[in-house]
Amino acid sequence: MLAKSVPYGLISLSVVPVMAVATLWFSGQARKAFRRTRAEMGSVNAELQESISAVREVQAFNRAEENIETFRQTNAANRDANIRAVVFTSALAPTLEALGYLALVIVACVGGWCCWAVKLSSAVPFLGDRDHFSDLCPAF
């Protein structure tokens, strides 16, 4: 890209820093969310183990409903942590794809402006790149 046209290459690469920041932010958030997921899963396992090992005491003191409610709360916290982790990991790919399309739009707008503002003959070498755009967007 840079060998063909330095300005167009630099314009298309202008989105790369934004992509890097988005990747770092999403990966940091996902890392925090997965740590919380592991902690919550440990709580669920501990609660379940405690309930199973103390089943006679639970029955003797009629605490079944309290134990069930405690387990529901622990399980709900685990579910919420998993959902949060999945949201961050699922949002990364569409964000990067949208930024890629933004780079395409920027290049197309700058190229269109150059064709309009400058003589058409100066843009003719780049008309051959239409095939690359049609690979990205089949509507062309």
Side-chain angles (χ1 to χ4, degrees):
M1 211 177 346
L2 288 172
K4 234 179 193 180
S5 171
V6 173
Y8 279 134
L10 292 176
I11 289 169
S12 62
L13 292 175
S14 66
V15 182
V16 171
V18 178
M19 287 179 162
V21 168
T23 301
L24 289 173
W25 186 79
F26 276 111
S27 64
Q29 295 299 315
R31 192 175 304 112
K32 290 176 192 173
F34 278 114
R35 283 184 188 140
R36 182 166 178 234
T37 298
R38 286 191 299 270
E40 293 297 335
M41 190 60 172
S43 296
V44 168
N45 288 338
E47 180 70 32
L48 187 60
Q49 178 62 33
E50 187 178 302
S51 295
I52 290 172
S53 64
V55 72
R56 291 181 192 219
E57 289 81 9
V58 168
Q59 291 173 345
F61 293 109
N62 199 19
R63 291 195 39 91
E65 289 301 319
E66 290 87 1
N67 282 13
I68 289 171
E69 185 57 37
T70 304
F71 182 77
R72 281 188 184 145
Q73 291 173 356
T74 307
N75 198 30
N78 181 41
R79 180 199 61 226
D80 294 343
N82 276 305
I83 288 172
R84 183 172 169 82
V86 168
V87 164
F88 283 117
T89 56
S90 298
L92 177 61
T95 300
L96 293 180
E97 189 170 342
L99 288 171
Y101 285 130
L102 178 64
L104 181 65
V105 167
I106 291 170
V107 170
C109 288
V110 169
W113 179 80
C114 287
C115 286
W116 183 69
V118 184
K119 292 181 182 177
L120 184 61
S121 61
S122 66
V124 169
F126 295 101
L127 293 178
D129 289 338
R130 181 188 174 279
D131 293 334
H132 299 296
F133 282 97
S134 64
D135 289 343
L136 296 173
C137 183
F140 283 109

